[in-house]
Amino acid sequence: GILNNAERPIQIIFAGKAHPKDNEGKEFIRKIIHYCRKSEFGRRVVFLEDYDIIVSRYMVQGVDVWLNNPRRLLEASGTSGMKVPVNGGINLSILDGWWDEAYSAKTGWAIGKGEEYDDFDYQDQVESNAIYNLLEKEVAPLFYDRGLDKLPRGWIKKMKTSMSSVIPVFSTNRMVKEYLDNYYLPADSKSRYLAGESLQSARELTAWKSRVRQHWGEIKINNVTANIVEAVRVGSTLEVKADVFLGVLTPDDIKVELYYGKINAQRDIIEPRTVTLASEKGAAEGSYTFFGEMPCSTSGRHGYTVRALPNHQDLNNPFEMGLILWK
């Protein structure tokens, strides 16, 4: 096996704590400790108890590869892996959390290609096989491939690429600057604006929100049509129209968007893009036609739909009110 390979042995170090109410996590740790005590795994699989910031500090300084493999879509962030490149370590992780943004073939390894599974048992089987294949066929050979100088030149190259690519981007300095520029300073400016002139702008925004919430249930997206032909060519556009009933609201209160992109096997739109549709008054009171063009920039199976969102110049974003209507 890969653990006791005579030429390319691998040692796996586990550490971590389960939440006091996470019985499944505690049972998983119990199984790991049980395996660590088996004679055939002696010194090859190790579990470090009482995981804390001190243990973490020694681990990120000492390991060559940082394994992070929770089930995809359950990773909150995975920030522990950000500290590894600073210490010359390389990440091997699922494409979730920060690693989904940072990964490239030159900076580390990815478990899978971002697939999603409904069957967790099947997901565990597929991804565990992927981990073992990476360790056996890519990680260990790269680490042990050494020339006359006894240095793993390929490993060092990957390590340096990881350091130069990851450290400047995934750091506290960048995070604080981004929060300051994108959130704190705009929030301060917005607060001063809304509080000006005896809270006049804040009062108007509050009244507008109340009116939109009161009448949101009256909105209806009716017919959505597109001039689809038998063969749509890359580089062309599709004209899309949507008949929308707004009731007492107006197009100034509502933003109607074309939501489109490639579709997967489940007919879900992936990597979506949006186009804001223009409007013209319909024949009936409260009715409008919204129209725009969908660019066909890539080949493959594509889908589209239409959605309505609140629209006001003083909203922080169109999702702030928690109101959305899909066709």
Side-chain angles (χ1 to χ4, degrees):
I2 61 175
L3 295 178
N4 293 306
N5 187 293
E7 297 180 354
R8 298 169 175 171
I10 290 177
Q11 183 186 57
I12 299 177
I13 301 174
F14 288 93
K17 285 183 177 179
H19 188 278
K21 294 184 179 181
D22 182 7
N23 294 324
E24 184 179 359
K26 288 187 283 188
E27 176 62 19
F28 182 67
I29 291 176
R30 189 192 68 80
K31 289 181 179 179
I32 293 174
I33 296 175
H34 175 73
Y35 281 115
C36 291
R37 290 172 177 170
K38 291 188 175 183
S39 58
E40 61 266 37
F41 295 146
R43 297 188 178 182
R44 294 302 177 199
V45 182
V46 179
F47 182 83
L48 301 181
E49 299 180 353
D50 299 325
Y51 182 79
D52 58 14
I53 194 170
I54 303 299
V55 175
S56 172
R57 180 181 180 183
Y58 283 114
M59 287 187 67
V60 296
Q61 289 178 350
V63 299
D64 298 296
V65 177
W66 191 263
L67 276 167
N68 185 50
N69 55 305
R71 289 173 179 151
R72 187 171 181 275
L73 300 182
L74 297 180
E75 176 58 87
S77 181
T79 52
S80 59
M82 297 180 188
K83 300 189 285 288
V84 176
V86 180
N87 295 277
I90 304 175
N91 279 274
L92 192 168
S93 177
I94 57 166
L95 293 176
D96 199 5
W98 82 282
W99 191 236
D100 195 19
E101 300 177 39
Y103 165 73
S104 79
K106 295 181 179 180
T107 60
W109 295 275
I111 303 168
K113 298 181 179 179
E115 302 91 342
E116 296 180 19
Y117 299 86
D118 295 324
D119 186 335
F120 285 157
D121 291 334
Y122 179 68
Q123 178 179 357
D124 292 345
Q125 179 183 348
V126 170
E127 294 183 345
S128 63
N129 287 333
I131 294 172
Y132 293 136
N133 283 333
L134 284 170
L135 291 175
E136 182 177 13
K137 297 179 180 179
E138 296 188 32
V139 177
L142 189 65
F143 183 82
Y144 284 103
D145 182 15
R146 308 184 180 211
L148 296 176
D149 57 5
K150 306 300 182 182
L151 295 176
R153 295 292 179 179
W155 186 274
I156 294 173
K157 180 179 179 181
K158 199 177 192 75
M159 177 184 69
K160 288 183 175 181
T161 303
S162 173
M163 295 177 75
S164 62
S165 300
V166 174
I167 295 173
V169 181
F170 295 91
S171 67
T172 304
N173 287 341
R174 192 233 69 204
M175 178 192 70
V176 172
K177 185 176 186 305
E178 194 170 282
Y179 269 84
L180 181 68
D181 293 341
N182 295 344
Y183 301 101
Y184 298 150
L185 292 180
D188 178 69
S189 177
K190 187 67 169 293
S191 175
R192 294 173 185 273
Y193 161 72
L194 291 175
E197 298 181 4
S198 301
L199 300 173
Q200 178 64 28
S201 296
R203 297 176 193 276
E204 292 176 357
L205 178 60
T206 300
W208 176 86
K209 285 184 175 181
S210 178
R211 182 169 62 88
V212 170
R213 286 196 177 97
Q214 180 182 354
H215 297 287
W216 186 260
E218 301 170 11
I219 301 174
K220 293 181 177 61
I221 301 175
N222 298 314
N223 296 327
V224 177
T225 58
N227 63 328
I228 298 177
V229 294
E230 184 175 345
V232 179
R233 296 184 178 276
V234 172
S236 63
T237 59
L238 291 181
E239 296 179 1
V240 179
K241 292 184 179 181
D243 295 326
V244 182
F245 178 75
L246 297 181
V248 301
L249 300 177
T250 72
D252 291 335
D253 301 315
I254 304 297
K255 176 167 66 172
V256 177
E257 292 182 333
L258 173 66
Y259 183 94
Y260 69 96
K262 287 187 175 182
I263 58 175
N264 59 19
Q266 290 74 41
R267 300 183 65 83
D268 296 323
I269 295 176
I270 57 177
E271 299 179 7
R273 298 183 179 183
T274 60
V275 171
T276 300
L277 303 180
S279 66
E280 60 183 19
K281 189 89 169 60
E285 186 66 28
S287 295
Y288 298 85
T289 297
F290 288 81
F291 56 92
E293 293 184 341
M294 183 178 82
C296 304
S297 54
T298 60
S299 60
R301 301 173 68 227
H302 292 69
Y304 70 91
T305 188
V306 169
R307 67 183 183 184
L309 294 160
N311 182 52
H312 192 281
Q313 63 178 4
D314 291 338
L315 283 179
N316 292 317
N317 64 72
F319 307 104
E320 176 184 328
M321 296 175 63
L323 299 174
I324 188 170
L325 178 65
W326 291 91
K327 172 57 179 173

